[in-house]
Amino acid sequence: MPLNAWLLATAAACFFGTGLVFTVFGLRWLEIWLGAVVSVLTSTAMFFCLAPFYVDTDNWVNSSVLIFATVGLFFPALVTLLAFESNRQIGPNVTGSLGNLAPLFAEAFAVSALGEEPTLLQVASLTAIVIGVSLLSFQRRKTLQPWSLWVFLLPITAAFMRGATQPAIKLGLEAWPNPLVAALVGYAISSLVLIAIAVFRTRGWPQGLNSRGIVLLAGVGVCHGLAVLTMYGAFALGPITLVSPTVATYPLVTLVLSSIFLKNVRLTR
């Protein structure tokens, strides 16, 4: 994998991991669906501010825009809602570790849809990811009642959606290699989806707005926006079978930051 792609993928992992920790604090002050609206709208606003400097409409490709818009129906809108609820239910560490299954789905779709061929080393790395996820979530799993184990489906479903959308983004970037366009179009559609959900839930102006929660979730939006932008940049430069596992190291960042800022989290073997 080119060095630039690896650096971008590593940066994406750092931003994703940091955003998960911010989410814990932000959701103490805002409801999940409202937090998702604030986060995604912040990311979208950031992309719009960058667009005049990095988007050349003379290179417009309809097929790519259609792919990016279709992805936006699911990512980040539905993925954010699932991740926030998972974060509230089982915390950022388990959410991050189970979200680490995304490369498993991404590589499966990349092999079937894009014809990428993973090496034996990459297959071994995926195996390590699955084992690591099991170890990271095992201790927390023992503290849940059997009826509440369904919450593990939340981050797993989010991981499936993220993994399924990555090959689609890669396909769109092959025709129009502009990561900002991919992020802007997808997030704009997701913003409309989340606003529609908000209007449906509140039948008007949302209640329960809290300035502290808005600031924290806006910080999450900045982190996630930068994460997606750098991840898409890595997709434009390298194969999914290498970029996706690198991005999946973000739970390590979450673990370290959680042990520093969350009193109930400690690092064990």
Side-chain angles (χ1 to χ4, degrees):
M1 177 168 60
L3 178 60
N4 288 346
W6 180 82
L7 291 174
L8 287 172
T10 302
C14 292
F15 288 128
F16 274 129
T18 303
L20 269 179
V21 179
F22 271 110
T23 301
V24 175
F25 296 104
L27 291 181
R28 294 175 180 174
W29 305 96
L30 289 179
E31 292 186 55
I32 291 169
W33 64 271
L34 190 54
V37 172
V38 172
S39 174
V40 173
L41 284 180
T42 301
S43 301
T44 306
M46 182 176 67
F47 296 146
F48 269 110
C49 290
L50 293 173
F53 304 100
Y54 297 100
V55 176
D56 183 5
T57 54
D58 292 338
N59 296 322
W60 186 278
V61 179
N62 288 332
S63 59
S64 294
V65 173
L66 180 59
I67 290 174
F68 301 150
T70 303
V71 167
L73 295 173
F74 306 95
F75 177 82
L78 298 182
V79 170
T80 300
L81 289 172
L82 290 170
F84 279 12
E85 177 63 19
S86 173
N87 211 318
R88 186 178 69 85
Q89 294 276 357
I90 55 181
N93 290 334
V94 181
T95 297
S97 61
L98 289 177
N100 217 12
L101 291 173
L104 189 65
F105 301 116
E107 294 204 19
F109 283 108
V111 170
S112 60
L114 302 180
E116 294 187 10
E117 297 183 2
T119 64
L120 183 61
L121 181 60
Q122 291 165 356
V123 173
S125 72
L126 281 178
T127 304
I129 286 173
V130 174
I131 294 174
V133 165
S134 301
L135 291 174
L136 284 170
S137 59
F138 178 72
Q139 184 177 10
R140 175 62 176 172
R141 186 180 188 277
K142 292 190 299 183
T143 66
L144 297 176
Q145 298 297 325
W147 56 265
S148 63
L149 295 181
W150 65 269
V151 298
F152 288 98
L153 291 175
L154 298 173
I156 292 174
T157 303
F160 174 80
M161 288 185 178
R162 279 199 304 271
T165 58
Q166 288 177 9
I169 291 294
K170 174 72 173 178
L171 188 62
L173 288 172
E174 289 180 352
W176 191 357
N178 190 317
L180 181 57
V181 171
L184 175 58
V185 173
Y187 268 71
I189 297 299
S190 277
S191 295
L192 295 177
V193 171
L194 289 173
I195 290 173
I197 293 174
V199 171
F200 175 79
R201 288 181 62 94
T202 62
R203 312 271 186 215
W205 185 255
Q207 303 297 317
L209 291 174
N210 179 280
S211 59
R212 187 178 302 182
I214 290 175
V215 170
L216 288 169
L217 269 301
V220 173
V222 172
C223 288
H224 283 182
L226 292 174
V228 169
L229 196 58
T230 50
M231 180 176 68
Y232 286 0
F235 285 153
L237 297 173
I240 288 177
T241 50
L242 291 176
V243 172
S244 188
T246 303
V247 175
T249 60
Y250 73 87
L252 298 178
V253 178
T254 301
L255 279 172
V256 173
L257 293 180
S258 294
S259 67
I260 296 173
F261 295 107
L262 299 178
K263 295 180 180 180
N264 62 333
V265 175
R266 65 184 182 90
L267 295 179
T268 67
R269 286 181 297 173

